[in-house]
PDB file of all heavy atoms in Angstrom:
ATOM      1  N   MET A   1      -7.800  -1.352   6.420  1.00 94.00           N
ATOM      2  CA  MET A   1      -6.681  -1.888   7.194  1.00 94.00           C
ATOM      3  C   MET A   1      -7.187  -2.707   8.377  1.00 94.00           C
ATOM      4  O   MET A   1      -8.211  -2.381   8.972  1.00 94.00           O
ATOM      5  CB  MET A   1      -5.783  -0.760   7.698  1.00 94.00           C
ATOM      6  CG  MET A   1      -4.934  -0.168   6.614  1.00 94.00           C
ATOM      7  SD  MET A   1      -3.827   1.160   7.147  1.00 94.00           S
ATOM      8  CE  MET A   1      -3.605   0.918   8.867  1.00 94.00           C
ATOM      9  N   THR A   2      -6.434  -3.746   8.710  1.00 90.00           N
ATOM     10  CA  THR A   2      -6.763  -4.577   9.861  1.00 90.00           C
ATOM     11  C   THR A   2      -5.653  -4.579  10.904  1.00 90.00           C
ATOM     12  O   THR A   2      -5.886  -4.953  12.046  1.00 90.00           O
ATOM     13  CB  THR A   2      -7.028  -6.031   9.419  1.00 90.00           C
ATOM     14  OG1 THR A   2      -5.900  -6.495   8.680  1.00 90.00           O
ATOM     15  CG2 THR A   2      -8.282  -6.113   8.552  1.00 90.00           C
ATOM     16  N   ASP A   3      -4.442  -4.177  10.507  1.00 90.00           N
ATOM     17  CA  ASP A   3      -3.295  -4.214  11.418  1.00 90.00           C
ATOM     18  C   ASP A   3      -2.872  -2.797  11.785  1.00 90.00           C
ATOM     19  O   ASP A   3      -2.579  -1.985  10.908  1.00 90.00           O
ATOM     20  CB  ASP A   3      -2.115  -4.928  10.754  1.00 90.00           C
ATOM     21  CG  ASP A   3      -2.456  -6.358  10.362  1.00 90.00           C
ATOM     22  OD1 ASP A   3      -3.193  -7.009  11.117  1.00 90.00           O
ATOM     23  OD2 ASP A   3      -1.984  -6.803   9.300  1.00 90.00           O
ATOM     24  N   TYR A   4      -2.832  -2.530  13.086  1.00 91.00           N
ATOM     25  CA  TYR A   4      -2.439  -1.212  13.595  1.00 91.00           C
ATOM     26  C   TYR A   4      -1.327  -1.417  14.616  1.00 91.00           C
ATOM     27  O   TYR A   4      -1.467  -2.214  15.534  1.00 91.00           O
ATOM     28  CB  TYR A   4      -3.643  -0.508  14.244  1.00 91.00           C
ATOM     29  CG  TYR A   4      -4.750  -0.269  13.254  1.00 91.00           C
ATOM     30  CD1 TYR A   4      -5.749  -1.208  13.055  1.00 91.00           C
ATOM     31  CD2 TYR A   4      -4.771   0.888  12.498  1.00 91.00           C
ATOM     32  CE1 TYR A   4      -6.750  -0.986  12.117  1.00 91.00           C
ATOM     33  CE2 TYR A   4      -5.778   1.120  11.569  1.00 91.00           C
ATOM     34  CZ  TYR A   4      -6.757   0.168  11.384  1.00 91.00           C
ATOM     35  OH  TYR A   4      -7.746   0.398  10.463  1.00 91.00           O
ATOM     36  N   TYR A   5      -0.224  -0.695  14.431  1.00 88.00           N
ATOM     37  CA  TYR A   5       0.976  -0.944  15.216  1.00 88.00           C
ATOM     38  C   TYR A   5       1.320   0.260  16.091  1.00 88.00           C
ATOM     39  O   TYR A   5       1.297   1.396  15.627  1.00 88.00           O
ATOM     40  CB  TYR A   5       2.150  -1.238  14.278  1.00 88.00           C
ATOM     41  CG  TYR A   5       1.849  -2.324  13.273  1.00 88.00           C
ATOM     42  CD1 TYR A   5       1.485  -2.005  11.967  1.00 88.00           C
ATOM     43  CD2 TYR A   5       1.910  -3.662  13.632  1.00 88.00           C
ATOM     44  CE1 TYR A   5       1.210  -3.000  11.042  1.00 88.00           C
ATOM     45  CE2 TYR A   5       1.636  -4.668  12.713  1.00 88.00           C
ATOM     46  CZ  TYR A   5       1.285  -4.326  11.423  1.00 88.00           C
ATOM     47  OH  TYR A   5       1.010  -5.300  10.513  1.00 88.00           O
ATOM     48  N   SER A   6       1.719  -0.015  17.326  1.00 91.00           N
ATOM     49  CA  SER A   6       2.062   1.076  18.236  1.00 91.00           C
ATOM     50  C   SER A   6       3.470   1.613  17.994  1.00 91.00           C
ATOM     51  O   SER A   6       3.830   2.650  18.548  1.00 91.00           O
ATOM     52  CB  SER A   6       1.917   0.616  19.690  1.00 91.00           C
ATOM     53  OG  SER A   6       2.773  -0.478  19.931  1.00 91.00           O
ATOM     54  N   ASN A   7       4.251   0.958  17.141  1.00 92.00           N
ATOM     55  CA  ASN A   7       5.601   1.456  16.836  1.00 92.00           C
ATOM     56  C   ASN A   7       5.655   2.136  15.471  1.00 92.00           C
ATOM     57  O   ASN A   7       6.727   2.372  14.936  1.00 92.00           O
ATOM     58  CB  ASN A   7       6.607   0.306  16.893  1.00 92.00           C
ATOM     59  CG  ASN A   7       6.333  -0.763  15.845  1.00 92.00           C
ATOM     60  OD1 ASN A   7       5.216  -0.912  15.380  1.00 92.00           O
ATOM     61  ND2 ASN A   7       7.358  -1.521  15.499  1.00 92.00           N
ATOM     62  N   VAL A   8       4.498   2.501  14.910  1.00 91.00           N
ATOM     63  CA  VAL A   8       4.402   3.073  13.577  1.00 91.00           C
ATOM     64  C   VAL A   8       3.722   4.440  13.637  1.00 91.00           C
ATOM     65  O   VAL A   8       2.725   4.607  14.338  1.00 91.00           O
ATOM     66  CB  VAL A   8       3.575   2.112  12.671  1.00 91.00           C
ATOM     67  CG1 VAL A   8       3.120   2.789  11.413  1.00 91.00           C
ATOM     68  CG2 VAL A   8       4.372   0.873  12.365  1.00 91.00           C
ATOM     69  N   ILE A   9       4.283   5.432  12.897  1.00 92.00           N
ATOM     70  CA  ILE A   9       3.653   6.755  12.849  1.00 92.00           C
ATOM     71  C   ILE A   9       3.268   7.158  11.431  1.00 92.00           C
ATOM     72  O   ILE A   9       2.608   8.169  11.233  1.00 92.00           O
ATOM     73  CB  ILE A   9       4.535   7.833  13.500  1.00 92.00           C
ATOM     74  CG1 ILE A   9       5.865   7.985  12.790  1.00 92.00           C
ATOM     75  CG2 ILE A   9       4.716   7.538  14.986  1.00 92.00           C
ATOM     76  CD1 ILE A   9       6.693   9.164  13.280  1.00 92.00           C
ATOM     77  N   SER A  10       3.675   6.352  10.447  1.00 92.00           N
ATOM     78  CA  SER A  10       3.268   6.565   9.058  1.00 92.00           C
ATOM     79  C   SER A  10       2.931   5.219   8.443  1.00 92.00           C
ATOM     80  O   SER A  10       3.615   4.228   8.700  1.00 92.00           O
ATOM     81  CB  SER A  10       4.387   7.221   8.245  1.00 92.00           C
ATOM     82  OG  SER A  10       4.641   8.526   8.704  1.00 92.00           O
ATOM     83  N   MET A  11       1.875   5.194   7.639  1.00 93.00           N
ATOM     84  CA  MET A  11       1.400   3.936   7.078  1.00 93.00           C
ATOM     85  C   MET A  11       1.274   4.051   5.559  1.00 93.00           C
ATOM     86  O   MET A  11       0.585   4.946   5.062  1.00 93.00           O
ATOM     87  CB  MET A  11       0.037   3.624   7.686  1.00 93.00           C
ATOM     88  CG  MET A  11      -0.533   2.293   7.309  1.00 93.00           C
ATOM     89  SD  MET A  11       0.297   0.868   8.054  1.00 93.00           S
ATOM     90  CE  MET A  11      -0.106   1.050   9.772  1.00 93.00           C
ATOM     91  N   MET A  12       1.967   3.172   4.841  1.00 95.00           N
ATOM     92  CA  MET A  12       1.763   3.063   3.403  1.00 95.00           C
ATOM     93  C   MET A  12       0.500   2.231   3.239  1.00 95.00           C
ATOM     94  O   MET A  12       0.528   1.013   3.382  1.00 95.00           O
ATOM     95  CB  MET A  12       2.940   2.362   2.714  1.00 95.00           C
ATOM     96  CG  MET A  12       4.177   3.208   2.636  1.00 95.00           C
ATOM     97  SD  MET A  12       5.068   3.202   4.178  1.00 95.00           S
ATOM     98  CE  MET A  12       6.712   3.405   3.614  1.00 95.00           C
ATOM     99  N   ILE A  13      -0.612   2.890   2.967  1.00 96.00           N
ATOM    100  CA  ILE A  13      -1.887   2.180   2.927  1.00 96.00           C
ATOM    101  C   ILE A  13      -2.074   1.430   1.609  1.00 96.00           C
ATOM    102  O   ILE A  13      -2.650   0.358   1.570  1.00 96.00           O
ATOM    103  CB  ILE A  13      -3.070   3.119   3.249  1.00 96.00           C
ATOM    104  CG1 ILE A  13      -4.349   2.316   3.487  1.00 96.00           C
ATOM    105  CG2 ILE A  13      -3.228   4.179   2.183  1.00 96.00           C
ATOM    106  CD1 ILE A  13      -5.465   3.103   4.128  1.00 96.00           C
ATOM    107  N   GLY A  14      -1.553   1.984   0.526  1.00 97.00           N
ATOM    108  CA  GLY A  14      -1.691   1.317  -0.760  1.00 97.00           C
ATOM    109  C   GLY A  14      -0.933   2.061  -1.841  1.00 97.00           C
ATOM    110  O   GLY A  14      -0.382   3.139  -1.602  1.00 97.00           O
ATOM    111  N   GLU A  15      -0.923   1.456  -3.032  1.00 97.00           N
ATOM    112  CA  GLU A  15      -0.255   2.088  -4.162  1.00 97.00           C
ATOM    113  C   GLU A  15      -0.954   1.678  -5.446  1.00 97.00           C
ATOM    114  O   GLU A  15      -1.564   0.605  -5.518  1.00 97.00           O
ATOM    115  CB  GLU A  15       1.222   1.686  -4.220  1.00 97.00           C
ATOM    116  CG  GLU A  15       1.440   0.215  -4.498  1.00 97.00           C
ATOM    117  CD  GLU A  15       2.895  -0.226  -4.403  1.00 97.00           C
ATOM    118  OE1 GLU A  15       3.746   0.547  -3.932  1.00 97.00           O
ATOM    119  OE2 GLU A  15       3.170  -1.388  -4.790  1.00 97.00           O
ATOM    120  N   ILE A  16      -0.875   2.551  -6.426  1.00 97.00           N
ATOM    121  CA  ILE A  16      -1.260   2.173  -7.774  1.00 97.00           C
ATOM    122  C   ILE A  16       0.021   2.136  -8.584  1.00 97.00           C
ATOM    123  O   ILE A  16       0.937   2.912  -8.329  1.00 97.00           O
ATOM    124  CB  ILE A  16      -2.314   3.121  -8.388  1.00 97.00           C
ATOM    125  CG1 ILE A  16      -1.809   4.553  -8.418  1.00 97.00           C
ATOM    126  CG2 ILE A  16      -3.632   3.022  -7.647  1.00 97.00           C
ATOM    127  CD1 ILE A  16      -2.641   5.447  -9.282  1.00 97.00           C
ATOM    128  N   TYR A  17       0.077   1.197  -9.514  1.00 97.00           N
ATOM    129  CA  TYR A  17       1.312   1.060 -10.283  1.00 97.00           C
ATOM    130  C   TYR A  17       0.983   0.539 -11.672  1.00 97.00           C
ATOM    131  O   TYR A  17      -0.028  -0.133 -11.895  1.00 97.00           O
ATOM    132  CB  TYR A  17       2.305   0.149  -9.563  1.00 97.00           C
ATOM    133  CG  TYR A  17       1.834  -1.266  -9.383  1.00 97.00           C
ATOM    134  CD1 TYR A  17       2.251  -2.272 -10.262  1.00 97.00           C
ATOM    135  CD2 TYR A  17       0.965  -1.608  -8.354  1.00 97.00           C
ATOM    136  CE1 TYR A  17       1.823  -3.572 -10.108  1.00 97.00           C
ATOM    137  CE2 TYR A  17       0.534  -2.903  -8.188  1.00 97.00           C
ATOM    138  CZ  TYR A  17       0.959  -3.881  -9.075  1.00 97.00           C
ATOM    139  OH  TYR A  17       0.528  -5.169  -8.922  1.00 97.00           O
ATOM    140  N   LEU A  18       1.867   0.860 -12.591  1.00 95.00           N
ATOM    141  CA  LEU A  18       1.715   0.458 -13.979  1.00 95.00           C
ATOM    142  C   LEU A  18       2.458  -0.863 -14.196  1.00 95.00           C
ATOM    143  O   LEU A  18       3.649  -0.965 -13.923  1.00 95.00           O
ATOM    144  CB  LEU A  18       2.281   1.548 -14.896  1.00 95.00           C
ATOM    145  CG  LEU A  18       1.946   1.465 -16.369  1.00 95.00           C
ATOM    146  CD1 LEU A  18       0.437   1.484 -16.599  1.00 95.00           C
ATOM    147  CD2 LEU A  18       2.596   2.630 -17.111  1.00 95.00           C
ATOM    148  N   HIS A  19       1.720  -1.872 -14.653  1.00 94.00           N
ATOM    149  CA  HIS A  19       2.316  -3.186 -14.907  1.00 94.00           C
ATOM    150  C   HIS A  19       1.858  -3.669 -16.277  1.00 94.00           C
ATOM    151  O   HIS A  19       0.658  -3.855 -16.494  1.00 94.00           O
ATOM    152  CB  HIS A  19       1.879  -4.172 -13.823  1.00 94.00           C
ATOM    153  CG  HIS A  19       2.425  -5.553 -14.016  1.00 94.00           C
ATOM    154  ND1 HIS A  19       3.748  -5.851 -13.797  1.00 94.00           N
ATOM    155  CD2 HIS A  19       1.841  -6.696 -14.429  1.00 94.00           C
ATOM    156  CE1 HIS A  19       3.941  -7.133 -14.055  1.00 94.00           C
ATOM    157  NE2 HIS A  19       2.798  -7.662 -14.448  1.00 94.00           N
ATOM    158  N   ASN A  20       2.813  -3.814 -17.186  1.00 92.00           N
ATOM    159  CA  ASN A  20       2.504  -4.237 -18.560  1.00 92.00           C
ATOM    160  C   ASN A  20       1.417  -3.373 -19.199  1.00 92.00           C
ATOM    161  O   ASN A  20       0.495  -3.881 -19.836  1.00 92.00           O
ATOM    162  CB  ASN A  20       2.106  -5.715 -18.602  1.00 92.00           C
ATOM    163  CG  ASN A  20       3.257  -6.627 -18.249  1.00 92.00           C
ATOM    164  OD1 ASN A  20       4.416  -6.291 -18.467  1.00 92.00           O
ATOM    165  ND2 ASN A  20       2.947  -7.777 -17.678  1.00 92.00           N
ATOM    166  N   GLY A  21       1.502  -2.066 -18.971  1.00 91.00           N
ATOM    167  CA  GLY A  21       0.569  -1.125 -19.583  1.00 91.00           C
ATOM    168  C   GLY A  21      -0.788  -1.027 -18.906  1.00 91.00           C
ATOM    169  O   GLY A  21      -1.683  -0.343 -19.403  1.00 91.00           O
ATOM    170  N   VAL A  22      -0.955  -1.691 -17.755  1.00 93.00           N
ATOM    171  CA  VAL A  22      -2.237  -1.707 -17.047  1.00 93.00           C
ATOM    172  C   VAL A  22      -2.028  -1.170 -15.627  1.00 93.00           C
ATOM    173  O   VAL A  22      -1.069  -1.559 -14.943  1.00 93.00           O
ATOM    174  CB  VAL A  22      -2.786  -3.156 -16.977  1.00 93.00           C
ATOM    175  CG1 VAL A  22      -4.065  -3.220 -16.174  1.00 93.00           C
ATOM    176  CG2 VAL A  22      -3.002  -3.708 -18.374  1.00 93.00           C
ATOM    177  N   TRP A  23      -2.931  -0.289 -15.187  1.00 95.00           N
ATOM    178  CA  TRP A  23      -2.850   0.240 -13.825  1.00 95.00           C
ATOM    179  C   TRP A  23      -3.472  -0.747 -12.846  1.00 95.00           C
ATOM    180  O   TRP A  23      -4.587  -1.218 -13.040  1.00 95.00           O
ATOM    181  CB  TRP A  23      -3.536   1.602 -13.729  1.00 95.00           C
ATOM    182  CG  TRP A  23      -2.713   2.668 -14.357  1.00 95.00           C
ATOM    183  CD1 TRP A  23      -2.868   3.209 -15.602  1.00 95.00           C
ATOM    184  CD2 TRP A  23      -1.569   3.305 -13.786  1.00 95.00           C
ATOM    185  NE1 TRP A  23      -1.885   4.141 -15.840  1.00 95.00           N
ATOM    186  CE2 TRP A  23      -1.078   4.229 -14.752  1.00 95.00           C
ATOM    187  CE3 TRP A  23      -0.897   3.190 -12.576  1.00 95.00           C
ATOM    188  CZ2 TRP A  23       0.037   5.029 -14.520  1.00 95.00           C
ATOM    189  CZ3 TRP A  23       0.221   3.990 -12.351  1.00 95.00           C
ATOM    190  CH2 TRP A  23       0.676   4.892 -13.309  1.00 95.00           C
ATOM    191  N   LYS A  24      -2.717  -1.034 -11.782  1.00 96.00           N
ATOM    192  CA  LYS A  24      -3.156  -1.969 -10.759  1.00 96.00           C
ATOM    193  C   LYS A  24      -3.109  -1.280  -9.397  1.00 96.00           C
ATOM    194  O   LYS A  24      -2.416  -0.272  -9.225  1.00 96.00           O
ATOM    195  CB  LYS A  24      -2.249  -3.207 -10.739  1.00 96.00           C
ATOM    196  CG  LYS A  24      -2.294  -4.004 -12.045  1.00 96.00           C
ATOM    197  CD  LYS A  24      -1.332  -5.166 -12.016  1.00 96.00           C
ATOM    198  CE  LYS A  24      -2.041  -6.405 -11.560  1.00 96.00           C
ATOM    199  NZ  LYS A  24      -1.174  -7.608 -11.631  1.00 96.00           N
TER     200      LYS A  24
END
């Protein structure tokens, strides 16, 4: 991460997801 916010207490850092049968 490069962006850190003083108005944030939880961060969605990333996700994996299935797209057309492939994990991304």
Side-chain angles (χ1 to χ4, degrees):
M1 285 181 23
T2 55
D3 301 323
Y4 298 90
Y5 308 99
S6 60
N7 63 336
V8 165
I9 61 172
S10 294
M11 186 71 68
M12 287 80 149
I13 192 166
E15 65 187 10
I16 58 166
Y17 63 98
L18 193 58
H19 179 72
N20 293 332
V22 176
W23 286 100
K24 297 177 94 175

